[in-house]
PDB file of all heavy atoms in Angstrom:
ATOM      1  N   GLN A 705      13.885  46.689  30.185  1.00 97.00           N
ATOM      2  CA  GLN A 705      12.414  46.873  30.217  1.00 97.00           C
ATOM      3  C   GLN A 705      12.048  48.294  30.063  1.00 97.00           C
ATOM      4  O   GLN A 705      10.954  48.674  29.608  1.00 97.00           O
ATOM      5  CB  GLN A 705      11.706  46.348  31.526  1.00 97.00           C
ATOM      6  CG  GLN A 705      11.728  44.866  31.528  1.00 97.00           C
ATOM      7  CD  GLN A 705      11.104  44.214  32.669  1.00 97.00           C
ATOM      8  OE1 GLN A 705      10.799  45.033  33.666  1.00 97.00           O
ATOM      9  NE2 GLN A 705      10.691  43.079  32.761  1.00 97.00           N
ATOM     10  N   ALA A 706      12.978  49.252  30.288  1.00 97.00           N
ATOM     11  CA  ALA A 706      12.600  50.739  30.122  1.00 97.00           C
ATOM     12  C   ALA A 706      13.822  51.499  29.708  1.00 97.00           C
ATOM     13  O   ALA A 706      15.052  51.007  29.921  1.00 97.00           O
ATOM     14  CB  ALA A 706      12.218  51.224  31.542  1.00 97.00           C
ATOM     15  N   TYR A 707      13.665  52.398  28.704  1.00 97.00           N
ATOM     16  CA  TYR A 707      14.734  53.092  28.027  1.00 97.00           C
ATOM     17  C   TYR A 707      14.470  54.649  28.266  1.00 97.00           C
ATOM     18  O   TYR A 707      13.231  55.107  28.243  1.00 97.00           O
ATOM     19  CB  TYR A 707      14.840  52.697  26.641  1.00 97.00           C
ATOM     20  CG  TYR A 707      15.136  51.305  26.469  1.00 97.00           C
ATOM     21  CD1 TYR A 707      14.041  50.429  26.351  1.00 97.00           C
ATOM     22  CD2 TYR A 707      16.382  50.788  26.311  1.00 97.00           C
ATOM     23  CE1 TYR A 707      14.339  49.101  26.204  1.00 97.00           C
ATOM     24  CE2 TYR A 707      16.641  49.433  26.122  1.00 97.00           C
ATOM     25  CZ  TYR A 707      15.563  48.649  26.202  1.00 97.00           C
ATOM     26  OH  TYR A 707      15.977  47.227  25.844  1.00 97.00           O
ATOM     27  N   GLY A 708      15.393  55.401  28.206  1.00 92.00           N
ATOM     28  CA  GLY A 708      15.429  56.885  28.210  1.00 92.00           C
ATOM     29  C   GLY A 708      15.577  57.380  26.708  1.00 92.00           C
ATOM     30  O   GLY A 708      15.678  56.632  25.798  1.00 92.00           O
ATOM     31  N   SER A 709      15.460  58.775  26.584  1.00 89.00           N
ATOM     32  CA  SER A 709      15.726  59.309  25.313  1.00 89.00           C
ATOM     33  C   SER A 709      17.089  59.005  24.727  1.00 89.00           C
ATOM     34  O   SER A 709      18.034  58.966  25.539  1.00 89.00           O
ATOM     35  CB  SER A 709      15.728  60.773  25.365  1.00 89.00           C
ATOM     36  OG  SER A 709      14.385  61.254  25.808  1.00 89.00           O
ATOM     37  N   GLY A 710      17.176  58.724  23.485  1.00 90.00           N
ATOM     38  CA  GLY A 710      18.433  58.489  22.672  1.00 90.00           C
ATOM     39  C   GLY A 710      19.200  57.296  23.129  1.00 90.00           C
ATOM     40  O   GLY A 710      20.299  57.122  22.909  1.00 90.00           O
ATOM     41  N   GLU A 711      18.518  56.262  23.796  1.00 94.00           N
ATOM     42  CA  GLU A 711      19.153  55.034  24.291  1.00 94.00           C
ATOM     43  C   GLU A 711      18.933  53.894  23.175  1.00 94.00           C
ATOM     44  O   GLU A 711      17.827  53.772  22.567  1.00 94.00           O
ATOM     45  CB  GLU A 711      18.459  54.533  25.462  1.00 94.00           C
ATOM     46  CG  GLU A 711      19.120  55.219  26.723  1.00 94.00           C
ATOM     47  CD  GLU A 711      18.680  54.398  27.963  1.00 94.00           C
ATOM     48  OE1 GLU A 711      19.203  53.374  28.139  1.00 94.00           O
ATOM     49  OE2 GLU A 711      18.016  54.997  28.794  1.00 94.00           O
ATOM     50  N   PRO A 712      19.892  53.054  22.963  1.00 97.00           N
ATOM     51  CA  PRO A 712      19.636  51.904  22.042  1.00 97.00           C
ATOM     52  C   PRO A 712      18.919  50.827  22.688  1.00 97.00           C
ATOM     53  O   PRO A 712      19.106  50.474  23.919  1.00 97.00           O
ATOM     54  CB  PRO A 712      21.182  51.379  21.859  1.00 97.00           C
ATOM     55  CG  PRO A 712      21.946  51.883  23.038  1.00 97.00           C
ATOM     56  CD  PRO A 712      21.200  53.103  23.555  1.00 97.00           C
ATOM     57  N   VAL A 713      17.834  50.280  21.909  1.00 98.00           N
ATOM     58  CA  VAL A 713      17.127  49.106  22.451  1.00 98.00           C
ATOM     59  C   VAL A 713      17.745  47.882  21.598  1.00 98.00           C
ATOM     60  O   VAL A 713      17.610  47.837  20.382  1.00 98.00           O
ATOM     61  CB  VAL A 713      15.648  49.323  22.044  1.00 98.00           C
ATOM     62  CG1 VAL A 713      14.810  48.023  22.359  1.00 98.00           C
ATOM     63  CG2 VAL A 713      15.156  50.508  22.629  1.00 98.00           C
ATOM     64  N   ILE A 714      18.344  46.973  22.327  1.00 98.00           N
ATOM     65  CA  ILE A 714      18.807  45.876  21.779  1.00 98.00           C
ATOM     66  C   ILE A 714      17.878  44.799  21.737  1.00 98.00           C
ATOM     67  O   ILE A 714      17.475  44.183  22.829  1.00 98.00           O
ATOM     68  CB  ILE A 714      20.295  45.378  22.394  1.00 98.00           C
ATOM     69  CG1 ILE A 714      21.175  46.464  22.339  1.00 98.00           C
ATOM     70  CG2 ILE A 714      20.783  44.039  21.688  1.00 98.00           C
ATOM     71  CD1 ILE A 714      22.489  46.297  23.245  1.00 98.00           C
ATOM     72  N   VAL A 715      17.456  44.209  20.694  1.00 98.00           N
ATOM     73  CA  VAL A 715      16.417  43.210  20.401  1.00 98.00           C
ATOM     74  C   VAL A 715      17.155  41.901  20.040  1.00 98.00           C
ATOM     75  O   VAL A 715      17.830  41.825  19.048  1.00 98.00           O
ATOM     76  CB  VAL A 715      15.364  43.663  19.322  1.00 98.00           C
ATOM     77  CG1 VAL A 715      14.375  42.495  19.176  1.00 98.00           C
ATOM     78  CG2 VAL A 715      14.810  45.007  19.659  1.00 98.00           C
ATOM     79  N   SER A 716      16.906  40.890  20.809  1.00 98.00           N
ATOM     80  CA  SER A 716      17.591  39.501  20.626  1.00 98.00           C
ATOM     81  C   SER A 716      16.394  38.677  20.114  1.00 98.00           C
ATOM     82  O   SER A 716      15.326  38.489  20.715  1.00 98.00           O
ATOM     83  CB  SER A 716      18.062  39.017  21.849  1.00 98.00           C
ATOM     84  OG  SER A 716      19.189  39.852  22.314  1.00 98.00           O
ATOM     85  N   VAL A 717      16.720  37.995  19.052  1.00 98.00           N
ATOM     86  CA  VAL A 717      15.727  36.920  18.429  1.00 98.00           C
ATOM     87  C   VAL A 717      16.560  35.655  18.391  1.00 98.00           C
ATOM     88  O   VAL A 717      17.637  35.422  17.986  1.00 98.00           O
ATOM     89  CB  VAL A 717      15.350  37.364  16.994  1.00 98.00           C
ATOM     90  CG1 VAL A 717      14.559  36.306  16.393  1.00 98.00           C
ATOM     91  CG2 VAL A 717      14.607  38.704  17.043  1.00 98.00           C
ATOM     92  N   ASN A 718      15.656  34.603  18.922  1.00 98.00           N
ATOM     93  CA  ASN A 718      16.134  33.102  18.668  1.00 98.00           C
ATOM     94  C   ASN A 718      15.079  32.456  17.790  1.00 98.00           C
ATOM     95  O   ASN A 718      13.850  32.734  17.986  1.00 98.00           O
ATOM     96  CB  ASN A 718      16.327  32.525  20.090  1.00 98.00           C
ATOM     97  CG  ASN A 718      17.271  33.088  20.796  1.00 98.00           C
ATOM     98  OD1 ASN A 718      18.523  32.941  20.389  1.00 98.00           O
ATOM     99  ND2 ASN A 718      17.071  33.680  21.978  1.00 98.00           N
ATOM    100  N   PHE A 719      15.542  31.610  16.904  1.00 97.00           N
ATOM    101  CA  PHE A 719      14.574  30.842  16.206  1.00 97.00           C
ATOM    102  C   PHE A 719      15.079  29.364  16.019  1.00 97.00           C
ATOM    103  O   PHE A 719      16.143  29.133  16.222  1.00 97.00           O
ATOM    104  CB  PHE A 719      14.353  31.369  14.795  1.00 97.00           C
ATOM    105  CG  PHE A 719      15.586  31.575  13.993  1.00 97.00           C
ATOM    106  CD1 PHE A 719      16.051  30.660  13.097  1.00 97.00           C
ATOM    107  CD2 PHE A 719      16.392  32.664  14.154  1.00 97.00           C
ATOM    108  CE1 PHE A 719      17.225  30.749  12.421  1.00 97.00           C
ATOM    109  CE2 PHE A 719      17.523  32.842  13.383  1.00 97.00           C
ATOM    110  CZ  PHE A 719      17.939  31.936  12.534  1.00 97.00           C
ATOM    111  N   THR A 720      14.084  28.411  15.741  1.00 97.00           N
ATOM    112  CA  THR A 720      14.466  27.020  15.569  1.00 97.00           C
ATOM    113  C   THR A 720      13.417  26.493  14.458  1.00 97.00           C
ATOM    114  O   THR A 720      12.259  26.778  14.592  1.00 97.00           O
ATOM    115  CB  THR A 720      14.393  26.284  16.920  1.00 97.00           C
ATOM    116  OG1 THR A 720      14.929  24.956  16.502  1.00 97.00           O
ATOM    117  CG2 THR A 720      13.222  26.232  17.482  1.00 97.00           C
ATOM    118  N   ASN A 721      13.938  25.537  13.762  1.00 96.00           N
ATOM    119  CA  ASN A 721      13.033  24.613  12.999  1.00 96.00           C
ATOM    120  C   ASN A 721      12.668  23.472  13.908  1.00 96.00           C
ATOM    121  O   ASN A 721      13.533  22.567  14.215  1.00 96.00           O
ATOM    122  CB  ASN A 721      13.857  24.187  11.721  1.00 96.00           C
ATOM    123  CG  ASN A 721      13.014  23.153  10.806  1.00 96.00           C
ATOM    124  OD1 ASN A 721      11.887  22.783  11.229  1.00 96.00           O
ATOM    125  ND2 ASN A 721      13.496  22.806   9.671  1.00 96.00           N
ATOM    126  N   SER A 722      11.580  23.443  14.336  1.00 95.00           N
ATOM    127  CA  SER A 722      11.003  22.427  15.309  1.00 95.00           C
ATOM    128  C   SER A 722      10.480  21.066  14.575  1.00 95.00           C
ATOM    129  O   SER A 722      10.117  20.088  15.084  1.00 95.00           O
ATOM    130  CB  SER A 722       9.825  22.944  16.130  1.00 95.00           C
ATOM    131  OG  SER A 722      10.163  24.092  16.719  1.00 95.00           O
ATOM    132  N   ALA A 723      10.653  21.162  13.274  1.00 93.00           N
ATOM    133  CA  ALA A 723      10.059  20.018  12.488  1.00 93.00           C
ATOM    134  C   ALA A 723      10.962  18.883  12.626  1.00 93.00           C
ATOM    135  O   ALA A 723      12.164  18.983  12.948  1.00 93.00           O
ATOM    136  CB  ALA A 723       9.985  20.396  11.044  1.00 93.00           C
ATOM    137  N   VAL A 724      10.387  17.723  12.464  1.00 92.00           N
ATOM    138  CA  VAL A 724      11.211  16.413  12.526  1.00 92.00           C
ATOM    139  C   VAL A 724      11.643  15.772  11.218  1.00 92.00           C
ATOM    140  O   VAL A 724      12.576  15.120  11.008  1.00 92.00           O
ATOM    141  CB  VAL A 724      10.546  15.189  13.298  1.00 92.00           C
ATOM    142  CG1 VAL A 724      10.479  15.677  14.823  1.00 92.00           C
ATOM    143  CG2 VAL A 724       9.275  15.002  12.717  1.00 92.00           C
ATOM    144  N   ASN A 725      10.909  16.357  10.123  1.00 93.00           N
ATOM    145  CA  ASN A 725      11.248  15.870   8.796  1.00 93.00           C
ATOM    146  C   ASN A 725      11.163  16.828   7.601  1.00 93.00           C
ATOM    147  O   ASN A 725      10.883  16.552   6.501  1.00 93.00           O
ATOM    148  CB  ASN A 725      10.196  14.655   8.453  1.00 93.00           C
ATOM    149  CG  ASN A 725       8.804  15.075   8.373  1.00 93.00           C
ATOM    150  OD1 ASN A 725       8.493  16.254   8.583  1.00 93.00           O
ATOM    151  ND2 ASN A 725       7.899  14.175   7.898  1.00 93.00           N
ATOM    152  N   TYR A 726      11.376  18.148   7.921  1.00 93.00           N
ATOM    153  CA  TYR A 726      11.210  19.110   6.955  1.00 93.00           C
ATOM    154  C   TYR A 726      12.358  20.182   7.030  1.00 93.00           C
ATOM    155  O   TYR A 726      12.576  20.775   8.082  1.00 93.00           O
ATOM    156  CB  TYR A 726       9.811  19.743   7.019  1.00 93.00           C
ATOM    157  CG  TYR A 726       9.538  20.893   5.945  1.00 93.00           C
ATOM    158  CD1 TYR A 726       9.205  20.351   4.769  1.00 93.00           C
ATOM    159  CD2 TYR A 726       9.662  22.238   6.210  1.00 93.00           C
ATOM    160  CE1 TYR A 726       8.916  21.238   3.687  1.00 93.00           C
ATOM    161  CE2 TYR A 726       9.221  23.041   5.244  1.00 93.00           C
ATOM    162  CZ  TYR A 726       9.001  22.679   3.932  1.00 93.00           C
ATOM    163  OH  TYR A 726       8.770  23.554   3.003  1.00 93.00           O
ATOM    164  N   ILE A 727      12.970  20.380   5.931  1.00 95.00           N
ATOM    165  CA  ILE A 727      13.927  21.400   5.824  1.00 95.00           C
ATOM    166  C   ILE A 727      13.158  22.680   5.399  1.00 95.00           C
ATOM    167  O   ILE A 727      12.580  22.581   4.228  1.00 95.00           O
ATOM    168  CB  ILE A 727      15.045  21.080   4.811  1.00 95.00           C
ATOM    169  CG1 ILE A 727      15.810  19.820   5.223  1.00 95.00           C
ATOM    170  CG2 ILE A 727      16.064  22.265   4.623  1.00 95.00           C
ATOM    171  CD1 ILE A 727      16.817  19.174   4.273  1.00 95.00           C
ATOM    172  N   ILE A 728      13.274  23.687   6.122  1.00 96.00           N
ATOM    173  CA  ILE A 728      12.677  24.939   5.628  1.00 96.00           C
ATOM    174  C   ILE A 728      13.522  25.747   4.650  1.00 96.00           C
ATOM    175  O   ILE A 728      14.685  26.106   4.985  1.00 96.00           O
ATOM    176  CB  ILE A 728      12.325  25.944   6.865  1.00 96.00           C
ATOM    177  CG1 ILE A 728      11.433  25.215   7.925  1.00 96.00           C
ATOM    178  CG2 ILE A 728      11.809  27.247   6.419  1.00 96.00           C
ATOM    179  CD1 ILE A 728      11.229  25.928   9.199  1.00 96.00           C
ATOM    180  N   PRO A 729      13.031  25.827   3.459  1.00 95.00           N
ATOM    181  CA  PRO A 729      13.943  26.303   2.345  1.00 95.00           C
ATOM    182  C   PRO A 729      14.211  27.888   2.607  1.00 95.00           C
ATOM    183  O   PRO A 729      15.265  28.293   2.324  1.00 95.00           O
ATOM    184  CB  PRO A 729      13.091  26.141   1.021  1.00 95.00           C
ATOM    185  CG  PRO A 729      11.712  25.726   1.382  1.00 95.00           C
ATOM    186  CD  PRO A 729      11.800  25.233   2.974  1.00 95.00           C
TER     187      PRO A 729
END
Side-chain angles (χ1 to χ4, degrees):
Q705 291 184 342
Y707 300 87
S709 297
E711 281 194 66
V713 177
I714 301 172
V715 178
S716 298
V717 173
N718 292 296
F719 58 90
T720 185
N721 178 354
S722 309
V724 293
N725 67 351
Y726 185 74
I727 298 171
I728 299 176

